[in-house]
Every structure is written in structure tokens, then in C-alpha cells.
Amino acid sequence: MSSVEFNTLLIGNADFLKPFAFTLTKDAEQAKDLYQETLFRALSNQEKYLEGTNIRAWLFTIMRNIFINHYRKKLKHRMVAEPSASDFFINYQQHTVTNKAASNLQMKDIHVAVYHLPNIFKKPFMLYYEGYKYFEIANILQEPLGTIKSRIHFARKILKSQVPRQ
């Protein structure tokens, strides 16, 4: 299809885009911009149009995709640049002091709970806690891999039930 034929086809089928652009944007100026950008993209991508296909559907798709892309850009920009009431607290440089007493008490509770675990659960759990992999623990303790996984699972379960949550 020649450029002249394509331009004639495009101009003859472009009028229906104006109401669709307004439906998408709900603003007359943005609708004009969307309409113009759609026609520009259609002209610049003329080689992608297959002769005999529905040009209106092709133009609708171009317009819809342009609108969606602009909408997504606007959302990203709004999320990054829109000021809020809590910006004061985000930008406020305040030095905080952590209270280690509560965490120290919780760690003490955890150590006591681990100490009171039955040996069958304590050994695999402590090895896992120290960074050994399941298969390494199984080799060290000469136990099947599934048994080690099970014992560590039950040790965690026991610890969760015994250590109070803060």
C-alpha cells in the first residue's frame, strides 16, 4: 500500500477517534493531544499496518495503548513526587536511642527455651542455628535427612510455643 493510499484511508477513518479520546481522558485538551499522538504513531508505523485489516481496530489499539502508557507514567510520577502530610516526619532528622533491655530479655527467654529442649531436638537445631545445612547435620549426627528436617521443625514449633511474643 502506498503512502497516499494509506493517508487517504487514515484520514477517512480518523474522525471516530476524537470521541473515543475524550471518553478515555475526560478532558478536551488531553483528548486532542491523544488524538494527534495516535495519528502520528499510525503514520510513523505505517509499514506495520496490514492491508485489508480493520484500520479502525488498529487505530483504537494504538490510542488505547498510548493512553495506558501515559496513565502508568502519571501514576509512577504521582507516587514519587506527590507530597503528603507525613513528609515532615520522613524528612525530620531525629536521632533515636534503642532500648536493648527488651531485646536482651527476649534473647534470654530464647536461650532458656533452647536449653530446655530435649537433646534429640536440641543438637540438630543448634547445628542448624550455627549455619550447617540439613545434609551436613545428617552426616554429623549419622541420621537420615528426613529425620533431621523433622527434628528441626519440631524444635522450632516447641520454641514458638514456649517463647512469649513481644
Side-chain angles (χ1 to χ4, degrees), residues 16-27 31 34 63 67:
F16 74 92
L17 286 173
K18 289 178 183 177
F20 183 58
F22 186 78
T23 303
L24 290 174
T25 62
K26 307 284 192 258
D27 179 36
L34 182 59
M63 182 174 278
F67 175 75

Side-chain angles (χ1 to χ4, degrees), residues 127 132 135-143:
L127 288 170
Y132 289 95
F135 70 92
E136 294 172 330
I137 299 168
N139 287 337
I140 292 170
L141 298 178
Q142 298 296 312
E143 295 282 346

Side-chain angles (χ1 to χ4, degrees), residues 28-95:
E29 289 301 315
Q30 288 180 359
K32 287 179 187 176
D33 291 342
L34 182 59
Y35 175 75
Q36 287 177 354
E37 190 169 353
T38 302
L39 292 180
F40 172 74
R41 292 248 181 111
L43 287 170
S44 62
N45 293 302
Q46 173 183 345
E47 70 280 352
K48 294 180 183 175
Y49 174 72
L50 300 175
E51 190 175 353
T53 59
N54 187 351
I55 191 159
R56 287 184 175 207
W58 188 66
L59 293 171
F60 266 132
T61 304
I62 292 172
M63 182 174 278
R64 188 193 68 224
N65 289 342
I66 293 170
F67 175 75
I68 290 171
N69 290 339
H70 283 301
Y71 180 77
R72 286 180 181 159
K73 282 181 188 175
K74 214 184 298 183
L75 276 182
K76 282 183 185 178
H77 179 70
R78 191 178 313 150
M79 286 172 46
V80 172
E82 191 172 284
S84 68
S86 63
D87 282 350
F88 171 77
F89 295 108
I90 292 172
N91 296 325
Y92 182 66
Q93 296 294 328
Q94 182 179 6
H95 299 286

Side-chain angles (χ1 to χ4, degrees), residues 1-7 9 46 49-52:
M1 173 178 279
S2 70
S3 293
V4 175
E5 291 172 338
F6 180 77
N7 290 347
L9 184 64
Q46 173 183 345
Y49 174 72
L50 300 175
E51 190 175 353

